[in-house]
Amino acid sequence: MALLNIAEPGQSPLPHQTKRAIGIDLGTTNSLVAAMQAGRAAILLDEQGVAMLPSVVNYTDAQMPLVGSGALALAVRHPADTLMSVKRFMGRGNRDAAGDAQRSHYELAEDEEGLVRFNTSSGERSPIEASADILRVLHQRALATLGSDIDGAVITVPAYFDEPQRQATKDAATLAGLRVLRLMNEPTAAAVAYGLDAAEHGVIAVYDLGGGTFDISILRLHKGVFEVLATGGDTALGGDDFDAALADWALRDIGSPSLAPGQYRQLQAAARAAKELLSNEAAVDLDLSGVLPSGGTIRVTREVFENLVQPLIKRTLVACRRCMRDAELDASIDNIIMVGGSTRVPLVREAVADFFQRPPLQGIDPDQVVALGAAIQADILVGNRPEGDLLLLDVIPLSLGIETMGGLVEKIVPRNTTIPVSRAQEFTTYKDGQTALAVHIVQGEREMVNDCRSLAHFELRGIPSMVAGAARIKVIFQVDADGLLNVSACEETTGSQANITVKPSFGLTDDQITTMLQASFSHAGGDKIARQLAEQRLAGWQLLEGLKSALTADGETLLSAEDRAAITAPMTELQALLEGQDADAIRTLTEHLGRQSETFANLRMDKSIREALAGVSLDTLDDEVLQ
Ligand code: ADP
Ligand code: MG
């Protein structure tokens, strides 16, 4: 008889126990959860075998919120209790959200910070709570399918989501009991699902037409780093508008009878069903039962439907053109990815292929591609592929800095810096005997505080009374892997300290980000030259300082003598240049050195994440990797 193996007490019987990680696409209309199964990313289904969970929550019953199609069914009877499209309200203030609220007829309240809350018959609910209820259902589904605890999750967000919107998403996940490994941009997730991160370089356009929103993103991949070159779109354009166009046409066809709101909703649902069938068939019958007392059907051909939606599709292409312009591409697009249920409409695919002059990638279901990419990334982050794939890095979309005397902005973390990152800078007092310092954190590309967005204020007290300029105050900006910012200030002689995690009250819309970026480009010049020198010096100095401590920590173990020399030689040269006035030379050399040390940075990042996952918590990541 064969002997059975028994593990030592307290030890796992499996040699390499894999961890359970999931990817979640928390969509405006629909949400999905995916995980690696038998070596491939797969969507997890509910008990009925359904993949998509409508992102709808009903709060009529205070004890038990209903999520998904059950909630959707109550939308007609309990409109104010049935929250749809809550993603539009995440991390946003009442002021920003007023238009969306009107469209969706919600009764809004607001919290102390001015953030949106919904009035329901079970009391007030925040968009974060509603999103948490959706995430909880997906979490449960994952537990039921995977049959064990979930070690971590990657949640996707639109590329244009700003700090408060990302923070809100993370809070929702935490409320739902999930450990967030990382937030990931939706277009990046789609690119990963197609395996495009395996290439060295590439420019990728991601065309995402969902239920209520259209997003276009241009990404550039460079050695495992996805940079978002530009984002654009229309936050009020999607498959719902296709349904409305078809419903209105049907209404005209039956002689425009006046319909009660319930009947109109029924007509829209029928139009949606007909639309979805038309993606595969040349003609279908639109069902009028529940719309007209007599019931019946109307015949709709694909041609009629295409004529109705043609102008809507054109609007998406106008946004694509603008986004391509913003991206200032010097190379052509290598790949186009289709995301979102509405890209199933054949005319949408044709129009996009025509616009970009090449066929889009479409091997993966457009509803599922984002969740699948998130699952792949989650699997890597949780540590299941220690030898394999490199980690993807993201960049911050807008520069972060603080206000200095004269209302000027000192940028501390420049736009497009890869995250996580930690940057420090020293400041000093302005007046003799000054014992407190007001730190004002701003976001944006402009030189003056008034032209940037204010994120947060805090004060550092207890500075010993000294002459102006004598105190040494170190301000440290840390941006974690999700793009969330923590700022601390410390007076070096006394060690007095203050810090803040930035969680500002109002979110930015994608339009606002675009406007801020455009404004900064058009106002360039003027005071720029002196500033440029200062900035180049600072960048050079920061890189040097970073590399020095990185080399001390890991230079011997991770690099060969030859590779080390390739970094230290230009370092010495840069050190000398920093004394001079030649901004261009400093920039060129800093960039060169940056490229020279990129592989080293990636090696350190991998090492540190492996170490972190081996025991330490992910939170210590920033401190370990960066300096
Ligand atoms: P979101 O990202 O906003 O959550 P989805 O990507 O799930 O949205 O897309 C939902 C939209 O896709 C709906 O308008 C739905 O009607 C549409 N859709 C789904 N399947 C089809 C299909 N076969 N043909 C046309 N539209 C479809
Ligand atoms: Mg989507």
Side-chain angles (χ1 to χ4, degrees), residues 27-30 52 210-212 239-240 272 275-276 279 340-342 344-345:
T28 313
T29 320
N30 295 299
M52 272 202 285
D240 298 347
R272 178 173 177 163
K275 168 194 80 173
E276 293 182 1
S279 291
S342 300
R344 290 237 176 73
V345 173

Side-chain angles (χ1 to χ4, degrees), residues 100-116:
D100 282 328
Q102 220 165 23
R103 259 204 308 280
S104 43
H105 61 255
Y106 291 132
E107 290 175 36
L108 296 190
E110 71 181 33
D111 69 5
E112 323 79 62
E113 292 180 79
L115 291 173
V116 171

Side-chain angles (χ1 to χ4, degrees), residues 46-167:
D46 71 5
E47 284 158 0
Q48 277 80 46
V50 179
M52 272 202 285
L53 178 71
S55 304
V56 184
V57 191
N58 174 280
Y59 288 109
T60 305
D61 179 350
Q63 302 312 313
M64 218 195 60
L66 265 178
V67 179
S69 40
L72 201 53
L74 293 174
V76 177
R77 247 184 313 142
H78 304 281
D81 288 345
T82 310
L83 305 182
M84 301 188 197
S85 303
V86 290
K87 186 172 175 178
R88 292 179 183 279
F89 300 92
M90 290 290 268
R92 296 178 69 193
N94 253 344
R95 231 181 18 188
D96 302 340
D100 282 328
Q102 220 165 23
R103 259 204 308 280
S104 43
H105 61 255
Y106 291 132
E107 290 175 36
L108 296 190
E110 71 181 33
D111 69 5
E112 323 79 62
E113 292 180 79
L115 291 173
V116 171
R117 296 177 71 80
F118 306 102
N119 270 325
T120 75
S121 50
S122 328
E124 284 185 8
R125 290 289 191 284
S126 69
I128 294 177
E129 289 168 293
S131 298
D133 284 325
I134 296 169
L135 288 169
R136 209 169 276 128
V137 171
L138 296 173
H139 188 183
Q140 284 304 327
R141 186 190 292 185
L143 287 172
T145 322
L146 303 174
S148 66
D149 282 352
I150 307 299
D151 295 295
V154 166
I155 319 255
T156 59
V157 291
Y160 60 78
F161 255 28
D162 66 5
E163 300 240 354
Q165 292 171 306
R166 283 168 198 261
Q167 181 68 56

Side-chain angles (χ1 to χ4, degrees), residues 385-396:
R385 310 183 191 184
E387 305 308 324
D389 312 57
L390 265 186
L391 214 58
L392 290 167
L393 303 175
D394 266 318
V395 296
I396 57 163

